[in-house]
């Protein structure tokens, strides 16, 4: 697979939630703050004029405080959210112009998500959870068996395929979530706070696993976190959001050595 695959281009995205989004958008474009738009138009501004290039084949981290727009941004990539204005291009194709079938293909073949809450089906075994997405998109049982067996082993869960999620620890459940996403062989993996619910040592192990897997996979991994240490450890690039605005994009070294403003500096200074 070429490393160029799975690149994402975000162009001037605005997301304004609420019944009067058009009015809210006009206010934002005229320079009103998130708070002003909320009090005057009753709209919640999720993102304001975010433009971003996410290269293929690398781990790209999105950071920011709670409510800064991280999940909102990432949900635009597979069009779980429609922007109020702006464009998103995946591999050069405008996702807003995809029809139903093409959008389904994007979600089933190009991108997979890994969630903080694991999102496992409690009444299905580990095997059937990992197989789920492949079966939904209609892969043959032979293909499912080969891929699921491989990924259960590669995430370190060999022998657990017949277990149910409630028989596993949090770290093991997230390994199942990761295997399920990777079994689909997507170009892009979207990981929204995927490791945030895990205790520190298990979280560190999961970062190590992800880095090990990525060293051979070279997928585009969009990884959301609150934690700068995690971001610095795994990210090739880090983008920082505040109140729906992009504050800085850079390599870990650039973020640490040249924080763009006090907001970024506070993340850097808070490091343990
Ligand atoms: N469906 C929605 N309706 C209204 N407002 C929303 C909706 N989803 C998000 N928002 C608002 O958009 C802003 C960004 O939210 P978002 O969930 O993207 O933040 P986040 O950075 O992912 O936060 P967290 O770290 O807590 O997950 C917040 O002000 C939030 O209240
Ligand atoms: Mg979020």
């Amino acid at each position: 697979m070429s490393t160029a695959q799975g690149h994402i281009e975000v162009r001037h995205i605005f997301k304004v939630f609420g019944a009067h989004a058009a009015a809210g958008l006009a206010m934002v474009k005229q320079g009103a703050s998130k708070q002003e738009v909320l009090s005057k138009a009753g709209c919640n501004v999720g993102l304001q004029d975010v433009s971003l290039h996410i290269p293929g084949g690398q781990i790209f981290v999105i950071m920011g405080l709670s409510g800064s727009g991280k999940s909102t941004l990432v949900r635009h990539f597979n069009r779980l959210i429609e922007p109020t204005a702006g464009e998103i291009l995946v591999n050069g194709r405008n996702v807003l112009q995809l029809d139903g079938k093409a959008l389904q293909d994007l979600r089933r073949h190009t991108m997979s998500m890994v969630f903080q809450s694991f999102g496992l089906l409690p009444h299905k075994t580990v095997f059937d959870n990992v197989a789920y997405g492949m079966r939904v998109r209609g892969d043959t049982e032979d293909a499912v068996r080969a891929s699921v067996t491989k990924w259960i082993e590669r995430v370190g869960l060999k022998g657990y395929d017949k277990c149910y999620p409630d028989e596993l620890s949090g770290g093991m459940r997230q390994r199942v979530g990761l295997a399920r996403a990777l079994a689909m062989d997507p170009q892009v993996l979207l990981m929204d706070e995927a490791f945030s619910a895990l205790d520190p040592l298990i979280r560190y192990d999961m970062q190590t696993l992800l880095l090990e897997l990525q060293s051979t996979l070279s997928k585009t991994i969009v990884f959301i976190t609150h934690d700068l240490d995690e971001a610095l450890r795994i990210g090739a690039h880090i983008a920082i959001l505040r109140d729906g605005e992009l504050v800085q994009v850079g390599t870990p070294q650039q973020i640490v050595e040249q924080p763009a403003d006090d907001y970024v500096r506070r993340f850097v200074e808070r490091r343990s």
Side-chain angles (χ1 to χ4, degrees), residues 55-205:
Q58 298 182 0
I59 303 183
F60 191 99
V61 172
I62 299 175
M63 267 193 62
L65 296 179
S66 186
S68 59
K70 305 179 296 295
S71 298
T72 302
L73 176 60
V74 164
R75 287 178 193 150
H76 280 85
F77 298 167
N78 56 358
R79 233 173 102 190
L80 292 177
I81 293 182
E82 306 263 345
T84 311
E87 290 182 336
I88 302 100
L89 280 73
V90 174
N91 292 326
R93 287 182 79 190
N94 185 342
V95 299
L96 298 172
Q97 288 169 359
L98 299 180
D99 60 16
K101 168 79 174 72
L103 186 59
Q104 197 177 60
D105 275 354
L106 178 82
R107 291 177 181 161
R108 289 184 175 177
H109 294 277
T110 310
M111 290 193 188
S112 292
M113 294 190 93
V114 183
F115 301 97
Q116 176 175 2
S117 54
F118 317 131
L120 303 182
L121 299 161
H123 303 298
K124 288 191 185 287
T125 62
V126 166
F127 187 98
D128 289 337
N129 266 287
V130 176
Y132 184 76
M134 296 184 76
R135 285 179 175 151
V136 166
R137 76 178 176 195
D139 290 9
T140 66
E141 268 309 299
D142 281 351
V144 169
R145 202 173 312 109
S147 181
V148 171
T149 306
K150 171 177 133 183
W151 285 110
I152 286 178
E153 188 168 340
R154 285 199 62 184
V155 300
L157 288 179
K158 193 170 179 196
Y160 289 93
D161 40 335
K162 293 190 182 65
C163 290
Y164 288 86
D166 67 0
E167 298 174 290
L168 305 178
S169 69
M172 292 163 87
R173 285 183 210 173
Q174 195 51 290
R175 286 169 192 258
V176 178
L178 193 56
R180 178 180 54 188
L182 289 170
M184 309 278 285
D185 194 24
Q187 291 174 12
V188 181
L189 215 55
L190 304 177
M191 303 182 69
D192 191 349
E193 305 265 8
F195 300 160
S196 302
L198 305 173
D199 70 51
L201 289 177
I202 303 295
R203 185 171 184 167
Y204 193 84
D205 287 347

Side-chain angles (χ1 to χ4, degrees), residues 237-254:
H237 295 95
I238 301 171
I240 300 185
L241 289 173
R242 178 188 51 212
D243 289 344
E245 287 183 281
L246 192 63
V247 181
Q248 186 169 8
V249 186
T251 61
Q253 192 178 358
Q254 286 167 336

